[in-house]
Amino acid sequence: MPPPYQEPPSWPLPAPGPVQPRDSTPHARRDQVRADAAAEVVAAGPGTPESAVRTWIDSPEHRDIILTCRYIHAGVGVASGRGGPWWTLDLATGY
């Protein structure tokens, strides 16, 4: 069972819009983060970000991952393709 809800830390959020890191391969970005723990949730088919989140929240396993206070870093991605779009939420603990 996840720990009780805690107020998330306050930090400046980036401006809205696509993020294009210098080295934009997923493996390169993963290697830049030294997380103690990480998690990923994936949804195939929802047509909007809101419906992808609803799909995750409606799944008890995904909901537990998302609502835990363990993770303080998050990244979201979407890809088109057969059976998609494919949505992914990657979560990580501190550096």
Side-chain angles (χ1 to χ4, degrees), residues 23-52:
D23 193 351
S24 62
T25 68
H27 296 288
R29 288 193 304 273
R30 181 202 61 213
D31 292 343
Q32 293 171 3
V33 176
R34 293 178 304 278
D36 295 327
E40 180 178 60
V41 293
V42 177
T48 65
E50 293 84 1
S51 60

Side-chain angles (χ1 to χ4, degrees), residues 35-74:
D36 295 327
E40 180 178 60
V41 293
V42 177
T48 65
E50 293 84 1
S51 60
V53 171
R54 174 55 46 205
T55 298
W56 292 326
I57 294 300
D58 287 346
S59 160
E61 295 84 5
H62 291 120
R63 180 183 176 89
D64 287 348
I65 292 168
I66 292 169
L67 295 183
T68 184
C69 295
R70 179 177 192 182
Y71 304 109
I72 60 172
H73 301 285

